[in-house]
Amino acid sequence: MRTVQGPTDHVVVVGAGLSGLSAALHLLGAGRRVTVVERDAGPGGRAGRLEVDGYHVDTGPTVLTMPHLADEAFAAVGDSLHRRVELIPLDPAYRARFADGSHVDVHTDGDAMEAEVRRFAGAAEAAGYRRLRTWLERLYQAQMRRFIDTNFDSPLQLLHPDLARLAALGGFGRLDPQIGRFLTDPRLRRVFSFQALYAGVAPARALAAYAVIAYMDTVAGVWFPKGGMHALPRAMADAAADAGGEFRWSSEVRELEATAGRVRAVLLTSGERIPCDAVVLTPDLSVAHRLLGRAPRRPARLRHAPSAVVLHAGTDRTWPELAHHTLSFGAAWEGTFDELTRTGRLMSDPSLLITRPTTHDPSLAPYGRHLHYVLAPCPNTTTGPSATTWGDLGPRYRDSLLSVLESRGLHGFEASLERELLVTPVDWTAQGHAAGTPFSVAHTFAQTGPFRPRNLVRGHDNVVLAGCGTTPGVGVPTVLVSGKLAASRITGGPRTPGRRRAPVPERQSR
């Protein structure tokens, strides 16, 4: 593995999101002095927090899987995730509701889910689920060590027996047909393939290897941190500070001072100069490339994942049919992905993620009130409406979303609204996210593994990237891994795949 050469005693980490905090903890654990520079007033980055009249709103991800990866970062400094954060296992992990009025609860316990599938779709589908679960577990085992938790220096690193195992499992086929080998009910196939959207690819075109995300969601388990998702970066920042890390809050980087191919100091807009031996850059790739002075050459332009419209709704009531996480599927499916990734039109029959964090933590809203988070995927600003167009389009689309919610049984949703916050691609653009999407670069084959933008920067000997735009990719688990991988580029330490195993899946939600 290539590593940063020369002195690395003092490292500046730019960005206190999950990847930056993960990098900081691993660097501190390896004995480095670490300064974290963050433009916001506190930690979180995409996993931020807003206070709206007594409602505590998570501004980013709402689903936490693979918490042992976060615990690795805490363990690097002798701390523990479970000492810092109370985690609540969610059962069901999701409730999936369909246009025909049916619903299925997604349990991560194998026996419970088999029984639910039998109730929902019969004995043959329940047997298929069991085979699917085994396949997902084997797929994860084949990928995690060699293809996710690893630093790539060359595509030749793929030439390993694990590649043959992945191929034998059908990992290089298409996701939807592979899921169809086990399940014939189209509703169930959606439950185990919608995760491809996280990777920015339609299930019909995504590699079957991306079913590893379905493993994380539907087998390994889903958790909720008491206090909301922001409790995780807050705890990571506290642990880093207790381990000796320094933080510069409300501080934006103006430029990197470099000579002879090495960054010597980080210059802030305040005028402060922070000398350093190495730098970890975690902002969006476009921001990182601006600071570096250029973007690396690639054979083709980077393709970005679809974006999302999010309605944060504080209400005076809730609906018993909602679980903590509810997937509300429209009747359309393949056409929906064409709209998101090809034609650039807004979903004509949207599938939505509805999260109700007050299900497990009522303190996130005023007494007797409820907090709902409604996420609607939408085209990014390269494929679909421009950022400026969303200034006028946003309020109209908000009204359309409310109509959809009402039509799907959440009667009185609009009348129940007391506080609301609408986030659209114009807001993601203002935060510095290229193509108006918080989901960064899509996981096409040409942007995955060794073909994804690498975390070492050509022309800068002591700069490493972390975050969802680089290795290994998008999502809370992979972003946490990216911070660890960035730290290992600096420390030269082991990347530690396999040393800490995930809990046995069958026991996680019992």
Side-chain angles (χ1 to χ4, degrees):
M1 180 183 70
R2 290 175 55 200
T3 59
V4 170
Q5 301 300 301
T8 60
D9 296 332
H10 180 208
V11 183
V12 173
V13 177
V14 179
L18 292 173
S19 65
L21 293 168
S22 173
L25 286 166
H26 284 286
L27 287 165
L28 288 163
R32 301 311 193 268
R33 184 162 71 92
V34 176
T35 302
V36 180
V37 177
E38 170 56 51
R39 68 179 179 180
D40 292 334
R46 285 173 170 85
R49 168 62 59 84
L50 286 176
E51 310 293 333
V52 183
D53 295 333
Y55 292 94
H56 306 281
V57 177
D58 282 322
T59 60
T62 62
V63 179
L64 177 62
T65 62
M66 311 295 282
H68 70 284
L69 296 174
D71 194 41
E72 283 188 356
F74 286 95
V77 294
D79 210 325
S80 166
L81 167 65
H82 299 283
R83 187 176 79 84
R84 296 274 183 175
V85 181
E86 180 184 348
L87 292 183
I88 302 169
L90 298 186
D91 186 28
Y94 297 98
R95 174 167 294 153
R97 300 181 62 85
F98 301 95
D100 64 2
S102 62
H103 79 274
V104 62
D105 283 348
V106 180
H107 303 282
T108 53
D109 175 81
D111 293 340
M113 188 59 189
E114 182 181 358
E116 177 69 353
V117 172
R118 183 178 292 108
R119 174 201 69 80
F120 180 75
E125 292 295 275
Y129 161 73
R130 273 296 188 185
R131 296 193 301 274
L132 171 62
R133 185 183 179 92
T134 299
W135 179 72
L136 291 173
E137 290 171 342
R138 294 174 64 195
L139 199 69
Y140 171 78
Q141 292 163 5
Q143 286 190 77
M144 187 63 190
R145 176 173 183 146
R146 185 61 51 180
F147 305 112
I148 298 174
D149 191 5
T150 194
N151 274 314
F152 283 102
D153 292 320
S154 165
L156 295 178
Q157 288 176 242
L158 293 173
L159 302 179
H160 185 274
D162 282 344
L163 184 69
R165 295 187 187 99
L166 186 57
L169 288 167
F172 297 106
R174 297 301 175 187
L175 176 61
D176 189 60
Q178 288 293 335
I179 298 295
R181 291 171 47 218
F182 306 99
L183 299 171
T184 60
D185 189 301
R187 298 167 300 176
L188 289 174
R189 288 170 67 169
R190 291 188 188 189
V191 168
F192 291 95
S193 64
F194 82 91
Q195 296 88 350
L197 189 57
Y198 298 157
V201 187
R205 299 198 302 274
L207 290 177
Y210 292 135
V212 71
I213 311 175
Y215 166 86
M216 296 176 182
D217 274 3
T218 67
V219 177
V222 176
W223 278 261
F224 174 69
K226 194 74 175 292
M229 283 292 290
H230 183 69
L232 176 58
R234 179 77 267 170
M236 294 176 75
D238 289 344
D242 289 348
E246 300 177 45
F247 286 87
R248 300 284 201 280
W249 303 117
S250 303
S251 299
E252 190 161 1
V253 176
R254 175 168 56 85
E255 63 178 297
L256 305 177
E257 180 185 296
T259 57
R262 292 183 71 88
V263 172
R264 309 291 177 173
V266 173
L267 308 181
L268 307 185
T269 54
S270 64
E272 182 181 2
R273 178 181 183 273
I274 306 176
C276 60
D277 298 308
V279 177
V280 176
L281 291 179
T282 73
D284 198 87
L285 281 179
S286 60
V287 177
H289 293 158
R290 175 178 59 78
L291 291 172
L292 293 166
R294 66 180 180 88
R297 294 179 181 176
R298 291 181 60 88
R301 188 180 67 178
L302 289 173
R303 290 178 53 190
H304 287 80
S307 185
V309 172
V310 180
L311 176 63
H312 299 281
T315 64
D316 62 10
R317 60 165 293 193
T318 190
W319 293 261
E321 58 265 41
L322 293 178
H324 189 109
H325 295 298
T326 300
L327 298 164
S328 176
F329 290 108
W333 189 238
E334 288 85 359
T336 293
F337 289 99
D338 282 340
E339 291 169 337
L340 291 173
T341 63
R342 290 185 172 181
T343 67
R345 292 195 294 267
L346 299 179
M347 290 184 294
S348 53
D349 186 14
S351 291
L352 309 172
L353 170 63
I354 306 168
T355 295
R356 184 179 60 185
T358 44
T359 302
H360 287 94
D361 190 350
S363 70
L364 295 174
Y367 180 77
R369 300 300 187 261
H370 305 271
L371 186 58
H372 300 85
Y373 165 112
V374 182
L375 183 147
C378 71
N380 63 44
T381 56
T382 300
T383 305
S386 68
T388 54
T389 300
W390 274 102
D392 293 326
L393 178 59
R396 299 200 305 273
Y397 192 60
R398 171 260 188 200
D399 294 344
S400 175
L401 281 179
L402 292 177
S403 296
V404 169
L405 294 172
E406 297 271 356
S407 70
R408 295 183 185 176
L410 302 189
H411 303 300
F413 193 92
E414 184 170 13
S416 75
L417 288 171
E418 291 194 337
R419 296 291 183 272
E420 63 180 283
L421 175 67
L422 185 72
V423 182
T424 76
V426 69
D427 302 294
W428 304 125
T429 299
Q431 293 175 31
H433 301 316
T437 174
F439 304 115
S440 191
V441 178
H443 281 263
T444 61
F445 179 80
Q447 297 177 170
T448 296
F451 310 112
R452 198 163 181 83
R454 295 186 191 172
N455 56 7
L456 284 182
V457 178
R458 189 184 301 274
H460 291 79
D461 296 340
N462 62 342
V463 177
V464 187
L465 303 181
C468 56
T470 185
T471 303
V474 178
V476 171
T478 41
V479 162
L480 291 167
V481 171
S482 82
K484 179 177 71 167
L485 295 178
S488 70
R489 290 289 197 184
I490 292 170
T491 65
R495 55 182 173 82
T496 64
R499 293 203 311 187
R500 293 176 57 86
R501 296 178 60 85
V504 178
E506 292 289 339
R507 297 181 179 178
Q508 287 185 346
S509 59
R510 291 180 178 174

